[in-house]
Amino acid sequence: MSGTGVWLAGARGSVATTAVVGALAVRAGLAERTGFVCEAPGFPGAGLPAVGDLVFGGHDLADVPLRKRAEQLADAGVLPPGLPARLRGELAAVEADIVTGGADGRTRDPAGTLRRLADDIRAFRDRHGLDRVVVVNVTATEPPTAPRPEHATLAALRRALDAGTMVLPASACYAYAAFEAGCGHVDFTPSVGARLPALAELARERGVPYAGNDGKTGETLVKAALAPMFAGRNLRVGSWAGTNLLGGGDGANLADPQAAASKLESKRRLVAETLGYPVDGPLHIDYVADLGEQKTAWDHVAFRGFLGARMTLQFTWQGYDSALAAPLVLDLARLVAAAHAAGRAGPLPELAYFFKDPIGATTHDLAAQYDALCAFAARGCR
């Protein structure tokens, strides 16, 4: 067997569709590799699976065909005009490997749902003769998950699932299915995913690696670069306020205050943990349908310098989250696949560079995270 598969939970969403179209375009020589961390000059990426060799499949509750979704993204300005038409055959081949359905967190047969999800992933791997598959969660953000006794150990979770008394959030279902199928896992959302202690235990039992949470694509990426600057220059930050305006499906989902709570918590951690003291930081996410797939973030930073001089910094970030996220999703799939091949199991803190709320890592300093990532890649993702 040979090859690496990428199984996308949320395969017809904006991020997944952009990732698939982008990888197919790179394979066909129709796109540059701009935005790929692992393709930057000097990055020690030798030995990673090639972008053009990745094989795609996935689950999605929506039934809009992948090509139609790609055409919608081209109309919105995320994808180049005409690109979906040029990749018609390739998109149809990927569409054949997308299962309509999946996990929605409401099933009355949780154990059966998990078996079906894992079986779909195994069937995809076997059908294409792949060495390994990485499952990437790019579904809609979920409300925070309250701790439960059934989450504490794998044995307790399995008992509750078999008894039909435990319904897992969709993100945790995909992580569970990935581990049961012997696959690595990436959670690009702020949802709970593999963070449940029981699922960490399952990953160790199956000997598979995982990484997350919440891809760092725009405003938080800028914060991760700027917050260490304030700390290094010993400038006292009094407040760091931010407003995010976004449209599209992600914006519509985050209009739900419960779903937004997970995203806001993920975004808030970085500044205080980097500076080492609490910072007044009102943060808002507002849905503006008229923006379509675009996003605008505005931040206002108030700080004090020598002799208490009050100063401010402001920045505005505008862009397409899907276009920023897609190459990172592909990079993460390649890195996790390489780590799996190298025998790593459990969380991969070396991939913190990609996340707002990284599992197993304690630093948010972007430069330090990048150094750790390069060292990880240089030693063959071991």
Side-chain angles (χ1 to χ4, degrees):
M1 298 199 307
S2 63
T4 298
V6 182
W7 187 265
L8 295 157
R12 297 185 178 110
S14 297
V15 172
T17 301
T18 306
V20 170
V21 172
L24 296 176
V26 167
R27 179 191 300 171
L30 300 175
E32 301 294 331
R33 296 171 186 251
T34 305
F36 288 96
V37 174
C38 297
E39 300 293 323
F43 187 87
L48 294 180
V51 174
D53 292 341
L54 299 174
V55 181
F56 297 95
H59 287 109
D60 204 302
L61 299 176
D63 59 2
V64 178
L66 190 63
R67 183 185 169 194
K68 179 66 174 176
R69 190 71 189 94
E71 290 170 348
Q72 292 170 348
L73 291 171
D75 290 342
V78 180
L79 301 177
L83 185 59
R86 299 182 72 178
L87 298 170
R88 181 185 297 107
E90 292 89 341
L91 288 170
V94 176
E95 178 69 38
D97 279 309
I98 297 177
V99 178
T100 300
D104 62 6
R106 297 189 298 270
T107 178
R108 294 186 178 183
D109 179 19
T113 295
L114 293 173
R115 284 193 295 271
R116 286 191 293 275
L117 295 178
D119 286 346
D120 289 340
I121 298 166
R122 293 188 188 99
F124 167 71
R125 179 175 57 203
D126 294 344
R127 187 161 58 247
H128 292 281
L130 302 169
D131 278 328
R132 56 193 51 83
V133 173
V134 178
V135 176
V136 183
N137 179 30
V138 283
T139 59
T141 298
E142 299 166 346
T145 298
R148 296 177 56 141
E150 298 94 329
H151 298 163
T153 69
L154 183 56
L157 179 59
R158 283 176 168 159
R159 284 194 301 270
L161 291 169
D162 290 340
T165 60
M166 179 74 222
V167 177
L168 284 174
S171 63
C173 288
Y174 291 119
Y176 191 110
F179 298 155
E180 279 287 0
C183 300
H185 179 264
V186 174
D187 202 329
F188 207 74
T189 81
S191 304
V192 67
R195 284 187 180 271
L196 299 182
L199 296 188
E201 186 180 342
L202 178 59
R204 292 193 299 271
E205 179 183 283
R206 292 289 189 263
V208 292
Y210 61 94
N213 285 54
D214 200 5
K216 187 162 59 189
T217 56
E219 178 201 24
T220 311
L221 177 67
V222 179
K223 285 183 175 182
L226 291 179
M229 175 193 73
F230 286 106
R233 290 294 296 270
N234 196 24
L235 299 170
R236 184 79 181 186
V237 176
S239 62
W240 195 315
T243 295
N244 294 256
L245 309 177
L246 65 161
D250 193 30
N253 177 62
L254 293 175
D256 176 356
Q258 288 188 311
S262 293
K263 175 68 77 172
L264 291 170
E265 179 60 28
S266 176
K267 291 171 75 68
R268 284 189 181 109
R269 288 188 55 192
L270 185 149
V271 171
E273 291 186 6
T274 299
L275 297 176
Y277 52 84
V279 174
D280 184 18
L283 186 61
H284 299 277
I285 298 177
D286 296 306
Y287 174 48
V288 182
D290 183 61
L291 291 178
E293 293 290 329
Q294 289 188 319
K295 173 181 177 179
T296 297
W298 174 75
D299 277 42
H300 182 282
V301 186
F303 63 98
R304 292 181 181 272
F306 188 52
L307 302 178
R310 294 182 64 88
M311 293 170 272
T312 62
L313 176 148
Q314 299 178 47
F315 68 83
T316 302
W317 175 281
Q318 295 176 297
Y320 294 103
D321 253 9
S322 299
L324 293 163
L328 305 185
V329 165
L330 298 171
D331 278 337
L332 283 162
R334 298 161 68 202
L335 288 160
V336 173
H340 193 185
R344 284 289 297 269
L348 297 173
E350 297 94 338
L351 302 187
Y353 179 75
F354 294 95
F355 299 106
K356 296 182 183 75
D357 188 13
I359 296 175
T362 57
T363 181
H364 296 277
D365 184 319
L366 195 65
Q369 289 177 336
Y370 185 72
D371 289 344
L373 173 64
C374 288
F376 174 69
R379 61 177 185 266
C381 299
R382 293 177 173 80

